[in-house]
Amino acid sequence: MTNGDPSQYPRKREPVQEHGQSRVLAYPDVPEPLPVVCYDNHTHLEIEDGEEGLTVAEHLDLAARANIGGAITVGGDVPSSRWCVHAAEQDARLLAAVAIHPNEAPRYAADGRAALDAAIDEIDAMAAHPRVRAIGETGLDYFRTPDVADQRAQHHSFERHIALAKSHGLAMQIHDRDAHDDVIATLRAQGAPDVTVFHCFSGDADMARIAADEGWYLSFAGTVTFKNAAGLREALAVTPRERILVETDAPFLTPVPFRGRPNAPYLVPLTVRFMAEQLGADLAEFTADVAANTLRAYGPFDGIGVVTA
């Protein structure tokens, strides 16, 4: 069970290998700053990676050097969500998203549906905090949760999170892995929140068109730069400019040319530049549009709710 003490965060990412080779655990250098300030709308600062063990303040200081004005740090269970709220209270450059991740929902439900509901009630209470600007990440994941009974727990959790986002007037960040049709069907059946964001969008151009018709945002991560991601680039090409967001999903999904190394909000410029080039867009104009989309979806990175000494 993951409903423990939030002091366990930040936690270290488990060592992994990619393509049978050990990962390089050194953070890349700070890239050339963007010409206009932009934001990372989905990151996991509760997870440490690499050799250096950057603090939240160090992450955000490096981001500022790359002209990244702020980030949204995203929880996936009760303790990590509490940690995200606390972190966002300490720095005006950070906002929080809170939720039970779809792969965590069955773990809570293993102690009975009431245990899952109790965890979601705690998310409900956190969502009232002024530093919380999104419910997420929530959704469906059939890749890591193939069991049908566990998927039922995911559906129940997803529906409750949709209701939370609407009741609090917050954006909702969706985790969707190998579940595109059911995610869309659930959103339509329940009624999507006014601001619905597909975090780390993984669909194709047809799904991007559906999202555009519904008025949903698509958030592109470093995956759009991967050699095998032609479908994502086709989706990007048909997504209206006013519906494009950018994220790192750090410490995961580091963009090319640093794929496999630790990711961080300061690497957003790599993905933004790549997307602008793919679209044949002026970099400053494209960056400004993505930044405006971010602020429209989540509100300003202001000092409301920040704890001052």
Side-chain angles (χ1 to χ4, degrees):
M1 174 57 67
T2 53
N3 189 9
D5 186 338
S7 66
Q8 68 183 274
Y9 295 94
R11 61 181 172 84
K12 193 72 174 177
R13 181 185 181 190
E14 290 296 322
V16 297
Q17 292 186 335
E18 292 200 354
H19 311 299
Q21 298 181 344
S22 298
R23 294 174 60 233
V24 176
L25 295 178
Y27 277 95
D29 291 337
V30 177
E32 181 182 350
L34 290 170
V36 178
V37 68
C38 198
Y39 305 90
D40 180 357
N41 95 111
H42 188 108
T43 191
H44 293 281
L45 296 184
E46 84 282 9
I47 303 174
E48 292 182 344
D49 197 18
E51 298 169 332
E52 297 165 60
L54 299 176
T55 67
V56 171
E58 288 169 337
H59 271 294
L60 296 172
D61 289 345
L62 289 171
R65 287 171 52 189
N67 213 8
I68 303 304
I72 297 177
T73 190
V74 181
D77 58 14
V78 170
S80 63
S81 292
R82 286 192 191 127
W83 185 91
C84 289
V85 176
H86 176 74
E89 285 180 328
Q90 310 306 308
D91 197 311
R93 300 171 294 180
L94 198 64
L95 298 173
V98 297
I100 305 300
H101 190 286
N103 290 325
E104 294 296 321
R107 297 189 177 101
Y108 283 100
D111 291 337
R113 178 64 62 83
L116 174 57
D117 282 331
I120 297 171
D121 287 343
E122 293 193 59
I123 297 299
D124 187 7
M126 288 181 233
H129 195 288
R131 302 303 293 167
V132 174
R133 303 294 178 80
I135 299 295
E137 56 192 277
T138 182
L140 302 174
D141 186 325
Y142 295 167
F143 178 79
R144 287 200 173 95
T145 308
D147 181 79
V148 173
D150 288 344
Q151 290 175 7
R152 283 197 290 270
Q154 287 191 349
H155 276 267
H156 175 73
S157 180
F158 187 23
E159 291 173 3
R160 282 213 57 194
H161 281 79
I162 292 171
L164 289 187
K166 291 193 288 188
S167 67
H168 287 279
L170 295 175
M172 183 176 68
Q173 293 192 353
I174 293 175
H175 173 102
D176 165 27
R177 190 166 187 188
D178 290 359
H180 303 324
D181 291 345
D182 283 357
V183 166
I184 292 169
T186 302
L187 288 172
R188 286 172 167 169
Q190 299 296 314
D194 289 341
V195 178
T196 295
V197 179
F198 277 79
H199 129 72
C200 190
F201 180 71
S202 59
D204 58 14
D206 287 340
M207 185 174 173
R209 293 185 184 97
I210 291 171
D213 289 343
E214 297 284 354
W216 302 331
Y217 290 90
L218 302 185
S219 179
F220 291 89
T223 45
V224 76
T225 73
F226 293 177
K227 183 178 180 180
N228 62 351
L232 274 183
R233 292 186 281 277
E234 291 169 1
L236 173 65
V238 302
T239 302
R241 183 77 64 87
E242 66 271 15
R243 294 295 165 186
I244 296 174
L245 298 174
V246 67
E247 65 174 89
T248 58
D249 200 23
F252 313 103
L253 306 181
T254 312
V256 171
F258 302 111
R259 184 177 181 181
R261 291 175 63 175
N263 201 2
Y266 73 84
L267 295 174
V268 162
L270 298 176
T271 304
V272 172
R273 280 193 165 84
F274 181 90
M275 290 195 293
E277 291 171 1
Q278 288 291 307
L279 296 173
D282 176 82
L283 179 60
E285 291 179 0
F286 179 75
T287 305
D289 287 343
V290 174
N293 296 343
T294 308
L295 298 178
R296 186 168 62 251
Y298 303 107
F301 285 76
D302 53 29
I304 295 175
V306 173
V307 176
T308 56

